Amino acid sequence: MNIIEINSKIQSQKETLLHHTLYEKVKTLDDLHQFLECHVYAVWDFMSLLKALQSKLTCTTTPWFASANPETRYLINEIVLAEESDLTLDGKRLSHFEMYVDAMKDCGAKTAELDNFLQNLIETKNVFITIKQSNLHPKTKAFLDFTFRVIEEGKAHKIAAAFTFGREDLIPNMFTEILKSFQQNFPETDLSKLIYYFERHIELDADEHGPMAMQMINELCGNDTKKWIEVEEVSVLALDKRIGLWDAIEEKIEATLALA
């Protein structure tokens, strides 16, 4: 098995995401706020996938020892550098999650639910309890729970599968569609920080991080058939959960419209 075969297996799910009816439901600024307030959790847990990979594939403890694969070590450190310390629109250094939250606030989206979620996580010190206790949509909870179950299992190739096929490989195309919708529907609203965030992701993921992540999968699986099978299984599940997240956002937007 290889990257080409896995991409073939998940093609129908990728098509479902790329042509999801959610995109056409984001028509007003309120709809946009609903989208951002739900999608931010995917931006946040993505960072946990990334840091789990860094922990597995590089040395993050002392005394320091060289990790097993220098090429994979380089790949993950390059991605961490950009995702955790990128340049903002005004030339500051922030993680992409912080950039996203800043863009949310700038366009009027609420962050109180997110703030409460993160504060509860600090207090419980248990992400699964925090997810369960939250008021998030059940499909959003399932999305987050899956991410942290994969991380908890601790297999680098599985974490890399969720990171690569469930996220990085999809982001350029998905965000291009979203960005087009924003530009069409909100021409008079200042969404400069949000658009910058999306464009930055498109630039990094299409040109750099996507190919790097694919190379990382190859390095981690090598000729191990069992690992390739597990990568395929995780990739399929990750995309199912991502579709569920998109469904959750669409359902929230439709529920708000029904109350109007």
Side-chain angles (χ1 to χ4, degrees), residues 175-231:
F175 281 3
T176 299
E177 291 301 314
I178 295 169
L179 188 54
K180 286 178 184 176
S181 174
F182 290 164
Q183 290 173 325
Q184 290 170 2
N185 294 329
F186 314 111
E188 297 176 1
T189 305
D190 183 10
L191 298 171
S192 56
K193 288 184 178 180
L194 190 60
I195 290 171
Y196 175 81
Y197 169 86
F198 286 145
E199 288 181 339
R200 188 71 180 132
H201 252 289
I202 290 166
E203 177 186 357
L204 284 173
D205 294 332
D207 297 338
E208 299 176 30
H209 294 179
M212 283 182 178
M214 293 297 180
Q215 187 176 340
M216 177 172 58
I217 292 285
N218 277 322
E219 294 281 349
L220 288 172
C221 292
N223 296 317
D224 191 322
T225 302
K226 184 173 185 293
K227 284 185 177 180
W228 280 109
I229 291 171
E230 289 177 341
V231 162

Side-chain angles (χ1 to χ4, degrees), residues 17 33 53 55 61 64 77-79 90 104 116 123 137 141 146 164 192 194 214 217 230 238 255:
L17 280 166
H33 291 165
L53 283 171
S55 177
T61 58
W64 179 87
N77 279 333
E78 277 290 302
I79 296 173
D90 52 3
M104 286 176 65
N116 289 337
E123 293 169 2
H137 189 290
K141 288 185 178 185
F146 171 77
T164 302
S192 56
L194 190 60
M214 293 297 180
I217 292 285
E230 289 177 341

Side-chain angles (χ1 to χ4, degrees), residues 21-47:
T21 51
L22 167 64
Y23 306 126
E24 61 194 46
K25 301 291 174 63
V26 184
K27 295 178 179 178
T28 69
L29 197 57
D30 285 341
D31 297 337
L32 173 60
H33 291 165
Q34 290 267 24
F35 174 86
L36 298 175
E37 290 162 17
C38 295
H39 178 247
V40 68
Y41 292 94
V43 181
W44 172 71
D45 81 333
F46 170 82
M47 295 302 298

Side-chain angles (χ1 to χ4, degrees), residues 85-234:
S85 309
D86 204 6
L87 277 174
T88 64
L89 186 60
D90 52 3
K92 297 177 182 177
R93 290 285 178 187
L94 287 177
S95 69
H96 281 196
F97 170 71
E98 292 166 308
M99 288 168 61
Y100 194 94
V101 172
D102 189 39
M104 286 176 65
K105 292 176 180 176
D106 200 53
C107 74
K110 297 174 184 176
T111 61
E113 183 181 64
L114 173 67
D115 294 339
N116 289 337
F117 179 92
L118 296 177
Q119 182 58 41
N120 192 41
L121 179 54
I122 291 170
E123 293 169 2
T124 65
K125 298 180 175 62
N126 186 309
V127 71
F128 300 108
I129 290 174
T130 298
I131 293 167
K132 187 175 181 179
Q133 290 178 347
S134 74
N135 293 321
L136 296 173
H137 189 290
K139 291 178 182 177
T140 305
K141 288 185 178 185
F143 174 84
L144 290 170
D145 188 80
F146 171 77
T147 295
F148 288 97
R149 295 293 174 191
V150 172
I151 290 172
E152 185 179 53
E153 188 178 356
K155 293 184 177 181
H157 62 287
K158 286 191 173 186
I159 300 170
F163 178 88
T164 302
F165 295 103
R167 306 300 181 89
E168 289 290 279
D169 185 41
L170 284 167
I171 283 171
N173 286 323
M174 281 202 303
F175 281 3
T176 299
E177 291 301 314
I178 295 169
L179 188 54
K180 286 178 184 176
S181 174
F182 290 164
Q183 290 173 325
Q184 290 170 2
N185 294 329
F186 314 111
E188 297 176 1
T189 305
D190 183 10
L191 298 171
S192 56
K193 288 184 178 180
L194 190 60
I195 290 171
Y196 175 81
Y197 169 86
F198 286 145
E199 288 181 339
R200 188 71 180 132
H201 252 289
I202 290 166
E203 177 186 357
L204 284 173
D205 294 332
D207 297 338
E208 299 176 30
H209 294 179
M212 283 182 178
M214 293 297 180
Q215 187 176 340
M216 177 172 58
I217 292 285
N218 277 322
E219 294 281 349
L220 288 172
C221 292
N223 296 317
D224 191 322
T225 302
K226 184 173 185 293
K227 284 185 177 180
W228 280 109
I229 291 171
E230 289 177 341
V231 162
E232 180 190 324
E233 291 170 348
V234 169

